[in-house]
Amino acid sequence: MPAGDAFSPDQLHDLERAVRNAENASGLHFSVYVGGADSETRPFALELLGQLDDPDRSVLVYVDPAGRRLEIVTGSQAKRVVTDVQAGLAALTMQASFAAGDLTGGLVTGVQQLGEHARQLPMLHADQIHQQGAQTK
């Protein structure tokens, strides 16, 4: 999470906790990049995603505060559980906070929202479902 001097230690802690919680909830990898792009925003965000350890199972949130740009990009497996609509909703949430001057709060809330969208639901096997049905009778 390149941040430079953009965040205080407490803000970095909040962002790291949001990323950790999203990863625990979803089983995906989350990264946040704050800074300027060397090129067009989306290709740059995709390039960053490709440089991650496990890009297929990753979600990258890229924000350029000075350029007022935001991209959420997902790897091939992450895209299966984080839809474009869900990413768009998280982006709207973040943009509202950014507009109010709260970069950290927007990132924390957006990452948490993405993690919740991708939450892994426990898998029940047929025998567990049958047992649960028998217990409720």
Side-chain angles (χ1 to χ4, degrees), residues 22-28 57 81 86 115-125 128:
E23 289 177 340
N24 289 338
S26 68
L28 299 175
R57 297 188 45 76
V81 292
Q86 292 166 332
E116 286 298 314
H117 286 309
R119 177 176 292 282
Q120 290 181 338
L121 298 176
M123 296 282 294
L124 293 177
H125 296 285
Q128 290 174 311

Side-chain angles (χ1 to χ4, degrees), residues 1-3 6-22 30-34 61 94 98 103-112:
M1 182 182 328
F7 300 103
S8 72
D10 286 343
Q11 290 170 324
L12 279 175
H13 175 75
D14 291 344
L15 284 170
E16 290 167 355
R17 187 178 63 231
V19 166
R20 193 172 46 252
N21 289 343
F30 284 78
S31 294
V32 175
Y33 183 94
V34 178
V61 177
M94 287 187 267
F98 300 163
L103 178 62
T104 305
L107 288 169
V108 166
T109 303
V111 168
Q112 289 172 338

